[in-house]
Amino acid sequence: MKSLIRVVIILLSFSVYGQKTKIVEVFKNQPVNFTGIAGDTIHNIRLQDGRIIYKKIKAPDFEKGTDVFVHMRLRSAGDTWDKSGSLFVITNPKKINIIDIAEGKAKFPEAGGVSGYQGIKKGGEYIPSLELLRFMTPFGVGHYSDEQKNPRIKYNRPVYVPKWEEEVKWTEDISHLSTAVTGEFIVGVWIDTWTSEGYLVDVELEYSGRAAKKKKVLPLVNTVYYASQTHPDLFSEEDLTVDFELPKNVKNAKLHYITTGHGGHSGGDEFIKLNNTVRINNKILIDTIPWRDDCASFRRFNPTSGVWVRKDTAFAYNENREKEYIEIKERLASSDLSRSNWCPGSKVSPMVKNIGNLQKGQNQLTISIDGTPIDGDKLNHWLVSAYITYEEN
């Protein structure tokens, strides 16, 4: 793995909080696809026929802590659809992890799964991947954004979108995970694409160098099927429970919970409101319906989204500059529709809840979701990841 280590640190000329910001370039213009162009295979490893890329990184250590931000850019290389995506790290490569599983070097331990769903929770010698950023690709951004090369695309564009964007950019503050992304660790990107064209991604980690309190990080759950596991529709059958042991009392613990519902079609979990309840030691911390109803605001990133026409009535000016009720037709794009905590082109930030103090010994996390079973081509499932951060007494 040492041959895979590549560090690109750019010392910028400006300072943040009196410190020089350091940028670690992780991926640059790197393809993520299915059996397509491989891109840089000297420094990057491809798994699942290119649907996962990863690299071993050595980032600076900050004795007094630091702020950390992840920056990601994505462009379609020909994939027209919206796809689930995840940026993750493997914090302890010596433990059993999804890279070992995908390479056939290890198997998921029984303690890391439930009822046939493997590798979704902490158990035995298995630690689930720590998710830095959940994201959803837009429909065709970049590759299909040029209306001269793709003249039909202009008929999909509503009047409030002056032009299609060339890429989508996300920035996430992951300062609470600083101890997991300094020193040596593995960074990976997974996109659920099944096209040979796929996507191109750039990833950078930004370190401010400003002194900040360090926190311990404990990954507990990650149902993203990085290693080609079954679509995780287990929540339609049972709760997901994780027992975890703390070696000593901890303080200022927080739960970080990322959740998105999927399934497609009008009756799939992607498009229906379903409750999520999360407990620590039987105490409810989260009890909500995760939902996004602002997806139309991402329209400029979705040139290849399917479009329907809907009749509506507007109180608008006529040719005589008089206001009257007029029947109109409006475009409605698939990317405009409300969804279970995501939009095509959006990132998905964690829900964060204070736990307080936790006692050493056995503790328990329980996740309950009113999910619906897989039904034919309605692949209903929930991609969920959860971890806690804390300070040691």
Side-chain angles (χ1 to χ4, degrees):
M1 293 294 290
K2 289 184 179 179
S3 62
L4 298 176
I5 299 176
R6 180 191 183 200
V7 181
V8 181
I9 302 178
I10 305 171
L11 295 180
L12 303 182
S13 59
F14 60 89
S15 64
V16 177
Y17 304 114
Q19 300 290 330
K20 291 241 178 141
T21 297
K22 295 179 175 63
I23 302 292
V24 175
E25 182 182 283
V26 183
F27 300 112
K28 182 68 173 178
N29 210 36
Q30 180 62 29
V32 182
N33 54 43
F34 179 66
T35 69
I37 295 173
D40 178 3
T41 56
I42 297 176
H43 305 102
N44 305 316
I45 298 295
R46 286 161 55 89
L47 296 173
Q48 306 300 327
D49 291 308
R51 298 171 74 239
I52 288 182
I53 57 171
Y54 79 91
K55 175 190 287 186
K56 196 170 187 179
I57 293 296
K58 189 174 178 61
D61 282 310
F62 296 86
E63 184 179 349
K64 296 182 179 180
T66 181
D67 303 298
V68 189
F69 298 87
V70 60
H71 305 288
M72 183 171 183
R73 294 183 292 275
L74 177 142
R75 303 161 297 287
S76 169
D79 196 315
T80 61
W81 292 96
D82 57 332
K83 302 292 175 63
S84 304
S86 178
L87 173 68
F88 62 92
V89 296
I90 295 174
T91 56
N92 191 338
K94 294 180 181 180
K95 296 275 189 179
I96 296 174
N97 59 70
I98 61 104
I99 301 298
D100 294 332
I101 306 297
E103 291 180 338
K105 298 176 181 178
K107 294 182 179 180
F108 287 119
E110 185 176 346
V114 294
S115 305
Y117 301 92
Q118 298 180 315
I120 62 173
K121 68 175 185 175
K122 184 181 184 303
E125 288 297 304
Y126 177 71
I127 298 177
S129 301
L130 176 64
E131 193 166 28
L132 302 184
L133 180 66
R134 175 82 53 82
F135 61 91
M136 300 294 159
T137 75
F139 288 88
V141 71
H143 187 84
Y144 296 97
S145 297
D146 189 331
E147 292 185 353
Q148 291 186 342
K149 293 181 180 179
N150 305 282
R152 292 184 182 180
I153 297 301
K154 69 180 180 180
Y155 298 107
N156 285 4
R157 181 166 52 82
V159 295
Y160 60 82
V161 173
K163 69 179 184 64
W164 302 113
E165 297 292 337
E166 293 297 325
E167 62 182 5
V168 62
K169 302 177 183 179
W170 301 291
T171 294
E172 187 77 2
D173 184 349
I174 57 168
S175 300
H176 58 289
L177 301 178
S178 66
T179 56
V181 290
T182 55
E184 192 169 285
F185 54 97
I186 293 174
V187 183
V189 173
W190 168 85
I191 299 178
D192 195 21
T193 178
W194 292 101
T195 69
S196 60
E197 298 85 5
Y199 301 86
L200 298 171
V201 300
D202 303 335
V203 176
E204 295 176 344
L205 294 170
E206 176 187 351
Y207 301 84
S208 73
R210 181 182 74 95
K213 185 171 290 186
K214 292 183 177 182
K215 297 181 181 296
K216 297 284 187 178
V217 183
L218 180 60
L220 294 176
V221 169
N222 195 332
T223 69
V224 178
Y225 40 98
Y226 303 111
S228 296
Q229 302 109 303
T230 303
H231 282 85
D233 70 328
L234 69 153
F235 296 106
S236 65
E237 303 170 358
E238 59 184 296
D239 296 341
L240 177 58
T241 299
V242 185
D243 295 314
F244 60 97
E245 186 170 358
L246 296 172
K248 59 178 66 177
N249 295 341
V250 304
K251 62 182 181 179
N252 298 328
K254 291 184 178 181
L255 170 72
H256 304 257
Y257 178 69
I258 303 173
T259 181
T260 53
H262 305 269
H265 308 299
S266 59
D269 283 8
E270 179 176 330
F271 295 113
I272 56 178
K273 295 182 177 182
L274 296 171
N275 203 73
N276 282 223
T277 304
V278 185
R279 299 174 175 85
I280 291 283
N281 297 332
N282 290 321
K283 178 184 177 181
I284 294 178
L285 292 181
I286 294 173
D287 189 24
T288 189
I289 295 175
W291 193 249
R292 290 288 293 264
D293 58 8
D294 61 338
C295 292
S297 65
F298 293 87
R299 186 70 186 95
R300 67 194 186 279
F301 300 106
N302 290 279
T304 59
S305 177
V307 173
W308 296 266
V309 175
R310 280 194 173 180
K311 290 183 178 180
D312 201 352
T313 302
F315 187 54
Y317 290 102
N318 61 22
E319 63 274 10
N320 297 320
R321 296 186 179 180
E322 299 169 335
K323 274 194 169 183
E324 64 176 340
Y325 291 99
I326 303 172
E327 185 179 273
I328 62 172
K329 291 182 178 180
E330 290 189 326
R331 297 177 181 88
L332 176 67
S334 172
S335 60
D336 296 338
L337 302 177
S338 300
R339 287 173 166 85
S340 292
N341 208 36
W342 63 275
C343 300
S346 75
K347 67 174 182 176
V348 184
S349 297
M351 301 177 190
V352 183
K353 297 294 180 180
N354 289 324
I355 301 172
N357 299 333
L358 286 173
Q359 301 299 310
K360 71 174 183 179
Q362 285 296 115
N363 291 269
Q364 188 177 78
L365 168 76
T366 304
I367 301 173
S368 307
I369 301 176
D370 296 331
T372 50
I374 288 177
D375 179 15
D377 62 349
K378 293 181 182 178
L379 298 176
N380 298 308
H381 62 283
W382 284 80
L383 298 182
V384 170
S385 69
Y387 57 89
I388 63 171
T389 58
Y390 59 90
E391 302 167 21
E392 290 185 337
N393 283 326

